[in-house]
Amino acid sequence: MIGDVFANIFRFALLVFLQFFLLNNIQFSGFVNPYLYVLFVLWLPFATPGWLLLTASFIMGLVIDLASETVGYHTVATVFTGYLRIRLLKFIAPHDGYDPNMSPTIPSLGLSWFLKYVVILVPAHHLVLFCVETFSFSDFLPAVLRALASSIFTILFIFIYQFLSIRTK
Amino acid sequence: MHTLFRFFQRHHVFFLFLILEGIAVTLLIRNNYIQRISFARATGIVSGTIYEQISEWSNYLHLREINRRLVEENAQLRNGSLHSFYRTDSVVRFVYDTAGLRKYVHVPAKVVNSTVNKQYNFLTLNKGEAHNISKDMAVTGPDGIVGIISGVSGHFATVLPVINRNFRISTKFKKNNFYGALTWNGRSYRHAELNEIPLHVPVEVGDTLVVTGFSSSFPEGSPVGTVSHFDKKDGNFYAIEVLLFTDFRNLHHVSVVHDLMKEEQENLEQKITDGL
């Protein structure tokens, strides 16, 4: 349990680091910008209570906002993703339920389940983020396109991250 | 009241969600007004530090390009500097200008191949006859002398560097102009030997050595290295160990010095020899 807490704090720090020193500096033609940090919210253990999950999401969003000199965009999107995760987990639960000691990862619930989980949550996060960022309806369509394109890259990075962390275990 | 409390308890996650989103949206909206200035200022300290670090790293990645530009700029500056010109007037004046005949042209070149761990080391440069480079021209690096052009092809040139046992150059003390022959003993690529300095010369560790204008194609005063060690070994001369300014293991860009008046000088000297 304590080990879980430290693992998640470490992941928090690592993802913030990666976001700032790597991903924010990669310009995929200026159109897409992957936001891997959302993986932190996705990876929290099943046993995480709702209030903690939302608070953790809030803090993650705030930290990213602070560092990217924006106010609120990432916080809005990340808290939304946290809440959606709580709803979604009930919705796509396997027949025998979740093992509370586990986290939503590929090894714990399999590739197809994880893909479903990620493909819903990541674009949701990106859509909220890019739309809030645009903040107008006239540029709505480009924002959606950017969100979807960026989601593809974020999901790709999530898979790379997961495979690397599995291999090192 | 009790039911209301139970209702909140059951849906506490949803209400927390609403509260947190409320805070975030408030931040977001107020961001468009006065808040933005103070908040951005506070966060600017955090992100400013981060971006400074990022820019330092990316600078490191662009060092190759930066170096190339600096070498070109150096060559350009040296072409304009006083020692590239041969003064045509015989009267000593204290007002210097560039109204003189050009004596030296510096051609920037890149080291494309080099050895440092052999007894007869060589460098290869990416400039050759196509860039007016010919045999016996001097090669200098950003810190000090590098060597002499020993062979040229169309687009490449080989350099006999200081760290080759066949290299020999007349070198003098910057402080008092006593000169001797600088050679390399093949032991360390950072050090060379200076011989023929008589014992009455005051030598100290750290003395700077430069090229004399006698035998070489180097402009007089090109930096060579500093005295790192010396002892009065054999007879009447010092054995002086010289720490070379040029680190051959970390040498990427050099300039080839084209002495425009060397031919004239040599022709004249040849006539004397022939006349005798």
Side-chain angles (χ1 to χ4, degrees):
Chain A
M1 190 63 206
I2 294 294
D4 263 4
V5 172
F6 279 109
N8 278 288
I9 289 173
F10 174 74
R11 192 176 305 125
F12 183 97
L14 183 64
L15 285 171
V16 170
F17 181 84
L18 283 177
Q19 189 64 48
F20 275 94
F21 289 93
L22 197 66
L23 296 177
N24 279 7
N25 292 291
I26 303 173
Q27 299 284 331
F28 295 109
S29 72
F31 186 69
V32 282
N33 195 349
Y35 289 107
L36 181 64
Y37 74 87
V38 75
L39 178 60
F40 169 74
V41 178
L42 269 56
W43 202 324
L44 287 168
F46 289 117
T48 316
W51 64 269
L52 183 59
L53 196 137
L54 286 178
T55 313
S57 307
F58 184 79
I59 294 170
M60 177 51 117
L62 207 61
V63 167
I64 298 287
D65 266 332
L66 266 169
S68 45
E69 273 181 77
T70 56
V71 192
Y73 303 136
H74 293 280
T75 317
V76 169
T78 317
V79 170
F80 174 76
T81 313
Y83 184 70
L84 190 67
R85 179 196 133 134
I86 299 171
R87 299 274 127 196
L88 182 73
L89 280 184
K90 284 177 187 152
F91 209 70
I92 59 168
H95 299 299
D96 45 356
Y98 298 108
D99 180 350
N101 297 320
M102 301 287 264
S103 295
T105 54
I106 300 170
S108 69
L109 282 159
L111 188 67
S112 67
W113 182 88
F114 186 75
L115 193 65
K116 198 169 18 170
Y117 178 66
V118 166
V119 163
I120 294 168
L121 286 183
V122 171
H125 171 267
H126 284 33
L127 275 174
V128 173
L129 179 69
F130 283 90
C131 291
V132 166
E133 201 177 26
T134 309
F135 222 71
S136 76
F137 287 100
S138 57
D139 300 325
F140 191 69
L141 194 68
V144 171
L145 287 176
R146 278 180 66 201
L148 294 179
S150 302
S151 299
I152 293 169
F153 280 90
T154 304
I155 291 169
L156 196 73
F157 279 116
I158 285 178
F159 273 85
I160 293 170
Y161 191 104
Q162 284 242 319
F163 280 121
L164 287 178
S165 69
I166 291 163
R167 278 188 57 188
T168 49
K169 263 171 197 166
Chain B
M1 190 65 207
H2 189 66
T3 352
L4 190 68
F5 184 71
R6 287 248 323 261
F7 174 76
F8 275 115
Q9 198 181 27
R10 190 185 297 163
H11 297 285
H12 73 280
V13 170
F14 180 67
F15 284 111
L16 183 65
F17 165 66
L18 286 185
I19 292 166
L20 292 177
E21 275 305 35
I23 296 171
V25 171
T26 312
L27 282 175
L28 185 74
I29 292 168
R30 293 188 69 177
N31 169 38
N32 291 328
Y33 299 100
I34 233 109
Q35 281 306 101
R36 178 179 196 150
I37 302 159
S38 56
F39 197 84
R41 207 169 272 165
T43 57
I45 300 164
V46 182
S47 53
T49 326
I50 295 172
Y51 285 128
E52 196 175 288
Q53 195 62 45
I54 291 173
S55 107
E56 257 173 42
W57 289 359
S58 69
N59 261 345
Y60 182 77
L61 297 175
H62 295 137
L63 274 183
R64 180 191 299 265
E65 174 62 18
I66 292 167
N67 272 337
R68 189 186 63 75
R69 271 193 238 142
L70 282 178
V71 167
E72 274 173 10
E73 191 190 346
N74 273 343
Q76 215 175 342
L77 287 173
R78 280 190 199 156
N79 281 338
S81 87
L82 196 65
H83 80 247
S84 290
F85 293 90
Y86 178 88
R87 293 185 58 76
T88 50
D89 56 318
S90 54
V91 186
V92 176
R93 287 187 308 177
F94 294 100
V95 181
Y96 290 108
D97 60 17
T98 51
L101 282 179
R102 180 170 287 280
K103 182 159 164 60
Y104 295 110
V105 173
H106 295 259
V107 183
K110 194 180 166 213
V111 178
V112 289
N113 191 14
S114 71
T115 60
V116 295
N117 51 7
K118 303 193 165 61
Q119 294 293 299
Y120 299 91
N121 292 301
F122 273 96
L123 307 176
T124 311
L125 307 181
N126 68 344
K127 297 277 164 76
E129 278 162 1
H131 310 90
N132 282 333
I133 287 172
S134 59
K135 201 167 176 292
D136 290 337
M137 283 183 181
V139 181
T140 59
D143 304 315
I145 63 163
V146 171
I148 299 282
I149 299 285
S150 61
V152 204
S153 67
H155 299 95
F156 292 96
T158 51
V159 180
L160 178 79
V162 179
I163 51 165
N164 182 306
R165 298 194 67 166
N166 287 333
F167 189 86
R168 196 181 162 85
I169 191 167
S170 174
T171 306
K172 66 179 183 182
F173 280 90
K174 197 179 181 181
K175 61 175 184 184
N176 54 22
N177 289 339
F178 277 101
Y179 63 91
L182 187 92
T183 52
W184 189 59
N185 57 22
R187 283 186 214 133
S188 153
Y189 72 97
R190 292 292 289 126
H191 297 97
E193 258 181 8
L194 179 63
N195 303 306
E196 303 169 19
I197 299 288
L199 285 181
H200 64 82
V201 176
V203 177
E204 272 174 74
V205 170
D207 284 348
T208 304
L209 298 161
V210 297
V211 173
T212 67
F214 297 164
S215 58
S216 61
S217 341
F218 286 99
E220 187 183 350
S222 300
V224 175
T226 55
V227 174
S228 60
H229 183 78
F230 66 95
D231 47 355
K232 304 167 180 179
K233 212 165 40 182
D234 37 359
N236 300 317
F237 298 105
Y238 281 110
I240 297 173
E241 192 189 54
V242 178
L243 177 67
L244 297 168
F245 284 130
T246 303
D247 182 350
F248 284 89
R249 211 178 260 284
N250 190 18
L251 183 69
H252 303 289
H253 294 93
V254 296
S255 21
V256 180
V257 184
H258 187 175
D259 185 347
L260 300 171
M261 294 184 177
K262 193 180 183 183
E263 206 178 332
E264 189 189 332
Q265 186 185 347
E266 280 176 348
N267 284 345
L268 181 63
E269 288 167 352
Q270 189 63 39
K271 270 182 200 162
I272 297 171
T273 326
D274 290 347
L276 291 171

